[in-house]
Amino acid sequence: MKFVDEYRDAEGAHALAAAIAEITTRKWTLMEICGGQTHAIVKFGIDELLPPQITLVHGPGCPVCVTPIELIDKAIAIAARPNVIFCSFGDMLRVPGSEKDLFVVKAEGGDVRIVYSPLDCLKIARENPNKQVVFFAVGFETTAPANAMAVYQAAQQGIANFSMLVSHVLVPPAMEALLSSPDCRVQGFLAAGHVCTVMGYTEYEPIAAKYRVPIVVTGFEPLDILQGVLMSVKQLENGRAEVENQYARSVRRDGNLPAQELVGKVFTVVPRKWRGVGEIPQSGFGLNDAYREFDAELRFELTDYTAEESAECISGLIMQGIKKPHECPAFGARCTPEMPLGAPMVSNEGACAAYYRYRRIKAQAA
Amino acid sequence: MADFQDFNLSCPLPIQQYPHVLLAHGGGGKLMHQLIETVFVPAFSNSLLGVRHDGASFAVGDARLAFTTDSYVVRPLFFPGGDIGSLAINGTVNDLAMCGARPLYLSAGFILEEGLPMETLWRVVQSMRQAADAAGVQLVTGDTKVVDKGKGDGIFINTAGLGIIEHSLAINPNSVQPGDAILLSGDLGRHGVAIMAEREGLEFESRIESDCAQLSGIVQAMLDSGIAIHCLRDLTRGGLTSALVEIAESANRQIQIEETRIPVREDVRGACEILGLDPMYLANEGRFIAFLPPAQAEQALAVMNAHSTDTGAALIGTVTDIARPLVMLKSRIGAMRIVDMFSGEQLPRIC
């Protein structure tokens, strides 16, 4: 397939791996931010091509994984109500809340639907004027413009029976939180290409300077990731700490300005709790005052939810790159994709699910 | 009374986790296998069921017969490349073919929803007739029930099939041997994408048609040309992955396949990239894998390709001599990884 096969070419991958091995003189630890990158690394076996001195740790960039359990419980509470059509992207449905997941709500009679775009919910809302249609708006900066557009259009078109349960999170504050932790062992970052497609990468420049870490905006195919690693290692070996753009075919320094403008119109930056990590100040989007009427938490009066995460789940350590999934005692035993203790075992892009699906045996042998 | 007591003594299903049946229990993945292993197999346990094949094979007098059943609940009823009628015939014919049997007779049970347009039923029945003629089977008995409006999805169809085994081969997972070549009969994933596109109103540049087809002819041709088939499995829900994992588990053999050898059409790959799906897990309705002696792989491929009008059949891997129920894949860039079933169905991802 044009524009995909070129970036999965075996010869090219091995050439890049050789170039990385050639310039590497000591141990380096890099973190890929995005769950999509984690998935590609494990699915294609990209890390197996790297020299042993390079360690890739898997960052917090899976929106499913970092959504706090209270919010899942809120989603479940809304979805279980009569006269509600609860819409979500597919991979949120199997994330366990305190007691059940959205699939179970569906089996119990809740109207839970998988949608491919938040704009589909507006159509559903127009077709069902006597029902409340709620969209579970989860994601990083990548999905924010489409979600903003749905709210913006709902307001323009006066679709009053539509609302959104918002759990948007932002990458740069999470990176800062990681870097300022005393346990941090990450020396360089592969930033998430699609987040930067929307937001650009000017936000990362002060982080690279302040913490002296190279940050390479990186794509999602094997050759993208290997090239991102090569650029990061080159910087580390030369003692540089800059923001570079490997994913230039999609990302510009300023990002997508009309998308940012729309996001700014609808959302405001708020503190957010991250599952397994805790609250990070100014780390997410919430609906701003002008669009508060579309906030499902207010409309359904869901405040003061608290929930305990599984004490056994070490997802926080995994998403901070301190531990690898198979180092968790519950991995593959009490925690599997069928019976997940925490969200990283649920989502396709969760580090634990990726390890379980693609390298269970190796993890056992290790 | 003793009979009733037994019922309450134990509950092998982990009901603390799923007190209700989920849609994922029908997705062809791990949850469905758990359901089969914890509910159905213990209840009905016998040696024929224990083989875990697409149908049961047994002797009656001098004849060896194969017997199978399947239910069809597709939405929409009509989709590019087929409909519930052709599916209901081909699916059961294919299960018989996977037992190495020549399909003879089918039954059909219809569960119709009140209010279904008669015209729709007529189209479905005509499609069934055409598919049955093409496969050389006769529909010899049937049943009809009508349920209240809202209690069905237009039409549900169950078909059962009886076929005759006219050779001495034992075609089932227990016959798989180390060194066996694994052949795939054509490109992957078209049925899954066609249904999803139709159901969700997704539009692609080209219309992707289901691969729905009867496989009896191609299997007969392989048998007629003297290929000593060890095992056959058609790829339905759960796709190539579920079929391979099931056979690796039944045969307790490690299977090794190569990603670059697996044919997937460009338009299907494109749709999968957009939706975040893996063609290895997509449903098919006219594809199968064959396990056979490596010396006959070339000949078998030639027979398969002579029968196929689609993208060609391919040799995708081999059975190793490692006694471990595992499927390993050599990735596009040369690294090895596990291929595992999904829990339920694939879920389209967020971004």
Side-chain angles (χ1 to χ4, degrees):
Chain A
M1 197 184 330
K2 191 104 178 96
F3 307 125
V4 172
D5 288 343
E6 295 90 329
Y7 299 98
R8 291 179 186 172
D9 172 56
E11 240 173 73
H14 287 276
L16 279 169
I20 294 166
E22 201 180 303
I23 62 162
T24 305
T25 63
R26 46 170 289 198
K27 284 185 175 178
W28 298 112
T29 299
L30 305 177
M31 173 180 275
E32 82 279 357
I33 292 287
C34 176
Q37 293 167 332
T38 305
H39 193 79
I41 287 167
V42 183
K43 180 175 176 184
F44 289 100
I46 295 167
D47 50 345
E48 289 177 31
L49 302 186
L50 295 176
Q53 298 101 310
I54 308 284
T55 304
L56 292 179
V57 295
H58 315 305
C62 162
V64 175
C65 302
V66 300
T67 302
I69 199 160
E70 295 92 306
L71 220 80
I72 311 282
D73 285 346
K74 285 180 185 176
I76 288 166
I78 296 172
R81 293 195 186 196
N83 285 319
V84 165
I85 300 174
F86 192 86
C87 306
S88 170
F89 292 130
D91 41 4
M92 285 308 293
L93 267 60
R94 219 155 44 78
V95 182
S98 298
E99 283 169 12
K100 50 182 141 178
D101 60 31
L102 284 163
F103 270 129
V104 171
V105 175
K106 187 168 189 274
E108 290 171 350
D111 192 345
V112 179
R113 302 186 189 180
I114 293 177
V115 293
Y116 296 88
S117 158
L119 295 172
D120 295 345
C121 303
L122 299 186
K123 188 164 165 259
I124 295 172
R126 276 193 298 267
E127 289 166 356
N128 297 275
N130 299 322
K131 301 241 178 170
Q132 286 290 327
V133 176
V134 184
F135 178 66
F136 199 1
V138 171
F140 281 88
E141 293 92 326
T142 326
T143 50
N147 293 346
M149 180 60 96
V151 175
Y152 180 76
Q153 285 193 5
Q156 295 278 308
Q157 298 167 18
I159 303 176
N161 62 329
F162 170 76
S163 62
M164 223 177 221
L165 181 60
V166 182
S167 178
H168 262 293
V169 281
L170 303 170
V171 168
M175 281 173 71
E176 287 231 50
L178 283 170
L179 285 165
S180 48
S181 155
D183 296 328
C184 179
R185 57 194 191 103
V186 178
Q187 294 162 297
F189 285 96
L190 307 184
H194 289 157
V195 169
C196 296
T197 303
V198 174
M199 301 302 286
Y201 52 84
T202 54
E203 294 172 284
Y204 298 88
E205 288 163 356
I207 298 176
K210 181 175 170 190
Y211 296 95
R212 300 286 310 148
V213 285
I215 301 174
V216 178
V217 178
T218 303
F220 299 84
E221 296 298 333
L223 266 61
D224 289 325
I225 292 168
L226 284 163
Q227 198 181 12
V229 171
L230 178 64
M231 289 165 76
S232 304
V233 172
K234 226 178 238 175
Q235 285 201 44
L236 287 164
E237 291 283 347
N238 296 337
R240 286 185 294 129
E242 297 161 17
V243 178
E244 291 182 306
N245 183 12
Q246 181 278 328
Y247 202 35
R249 68 182 185 279
S250 175
V251 177
R252 284 174 301 174
R253 183 167 179 272
D254 293 329
N256 181 340
L257 293 173
Q260 290 169 29
E261 192 187 333
L262 183 68
V263 168
K265 217 177 253 177
V266 173
F267 290 125
T268 182
V269 176
V270 296
R272 279 260 174 239
K273 192 176 166 192
W274 295 53
R275 189 170 193 161
V277 179
E279 183 161 304
I280 304 177
Q282 305 303 88
S283 67
F285 283 137
L287 290 166
N288 66 23
D289 286 343
Y291 292 89
R292 274 168 77 86
E293 58 178 303
F294 294 98
D295 188 335
E297 286 191 63
L298 298 177
R299 186 172 297 186
F300 293 92
E301 296 172 348
L302 301 169
T303 43
D304 299 331
Y305 264 62
T306 51
E308 286 292 310
E309 290 175 21
S310 159
E312 216 182 344
C313 177
I314 61 162
S315 61
L317 299 178
I318 286 163
M319 285 185 283
Q320 293 170 69
I322 297 168
K323 289 228 170 178
K324 292 250 181 183
H326 62 267
E327 290 165 8
C328 174
F331 177 82
R334 288 173 305 283
C335 184
T336 62
E338 288 69 53
M339 224 188 240
L341 290 179
M345 188 54 103
V346 175
S347 163
N348 238 340
E349 295 177 8
C352 299
Y355 269 63
Y356 186 84
R357 180 158 298 134
Y358 296 132
R359 51 179 58 165
R360 202 157 65 243
I361 299 300
K362 261 183 241 173
Q364 280 166 7
Chain B
M1 287 303 286
D3 292 341
F4 290 99
Q5 275 173 2
D6 270 350
F7 181 73
N8 285 322
L9 278 178
S10 68
C11 178
L13 187 71
I15 55 166
Q16 72 277 16
Q17 194 192 2
Y18 294 115
H20 300 274
V21 172
L22 305 184
L23 264 183
H25 281 117
K30 279 190 188 167
L31 284 179
M32 196 179 87
H33 283 84
Q34 273 175 19
L35 191 71
I36 292 171
E37 297 299 328
T38 56
V39 177
F40 298 125
V41 170
F44 305 117
S45 170
N46 61 58
S47 61
L48 291 178
L49 189 62
V51 179
R52 313 278 158 86
H53 199 33
D54 284 340
S57 305
F58 47 85
V60 176
D62 292 336
R64 283 175 73 214
L65 300 177
F67 181 47
T68 189
T69 185
D70 211 332
S71 299
Y72 301 86
V73 290
V74 66
R75 183 174 57 89
L77 297 174
F78 300 89
F79 48 84
D83 56 69
I84 191 170
S86 57
L87 212 57
I89 299 295
N90 290 336
T92 296
V93 162
N94 292 350
D95 282 347
L96 291 172
M98 295 304 110
C99 300
R102 185 163 60 83
L104 295 176
Y105 302 113
L106 259 53
S107 73
F110 294 89
I111 298 174
L112 308 176
E113 185 184 4
E114 180 187 24
L116 175 79
M118 204 57 86
E119 158 78 17
T120 305
L121 179 61
W122 178 248
R123 281 173 63 197
V124 169
V125 168
Q126 289 309 307
S127 167
M128 289 176 79
R129 184 184 57 79
Q130 283 170 12
D133 288 349
V137 291
Q138 284 182 293
L139 217 152
V140 292
T141 182
D143 177 54
T144 308
K145 297 283 186 293
V146 179
V147 295
D148 291 331
K149 190 161 183 66
K151 299 282 168 64
D153 206 357
I155 306 181
F156 297 151
I157 303 175
N158 172 276
T159 52
L162 193 70
I164 186 159
I165 299 170
E166 297 164 314
H167 52 78
S168 57
L169 301 169
I171 297 179
N172 66 55
N174 298 330
S175 302
V176 168
Q177 298 294 320
D180 273 1
I182 306 171
L183 273 49
L184 169 63
S185 69
D187 63 304
L188 286 187
R190 271 196 269 150
H191 181 74
V193 170
I195 292 284
M196 189 176 285
E198 199 70 10
R199 194 183 289 173
E200 308 297 345
L202 305 174
E203 283 170 21
F204 301 111
E205 274 176 32
S206 57
R207 199 163 99 130
I208 297 172
E209 297 204 330
S210 167
D211 56 1
C212 182
Q214 60 93 2
L215 299 171
S216 180
I218 191 166
V219 171
Q220 284 302 316
M222 288 169 76
L223 290 168
D224 291 346
S225 61
I227 291 164
I229 300 168
H230 291 160
C231 186
L232 299 167
R233 181 65 53 102
D234 60 340
L235 314 179
T236 54
R237 284 167 305 170
L240 175 63
T241 301
S242 279
L244 288 171
V245 172
E246 282 167 13
I247 289 175
E249 285 179 353
S250 299
N252 194 32
R253 285 283 161 210
Q254 182 165 319
I255 284 172
Q256 189 165 320
I257 56 170
E258 279 187 46
E259 189 178 8
T260 50
R261 289 173 174 261
I262 299 168
V264 183
R265 243 171 46 171
E266 282 290 299
D267 47 5
V268 172
R269 282 185 66 195
C272 286
E273 287 294 328
I274 291 166
L275 296 169
L277 304 174
D278 186 337
M280 298 259 302
Y281 296 89
L282 286 176
N284 308 271
E285 286 295 344
R287 295 286 177 266
F288 68 102
I289 46 174
F291 292 70
L292 41 86
Q296 289 187 309
E298 284 299 319
Q299 186 197 350
L301 277 177
V303 174
M304 285 164 119
N305 281 327
H307 250 84
S308 177
T309 50
D310 303 318
T311 315
L315 173 68
I316 61 164
T318 55
V319 178
T320 71
D321 54 8
I322 305 168
R324 184 160 71 172
L326 200 65
V327 180
M328 297 295 290
L329 173 133
K330 188 174 173 191
S331 86
R332 208 164 275 280
I333 62 169
M336 297 295 294
R337 68 161 163 94
I338 296 175
V339 180
D340 198 10
M341 285 191 213
F342 272 88
S343 286
E345 289 180 69
Q346 286 194 89
L347 302 172
R349 67 176 176 219
I350 288 180
C351 62

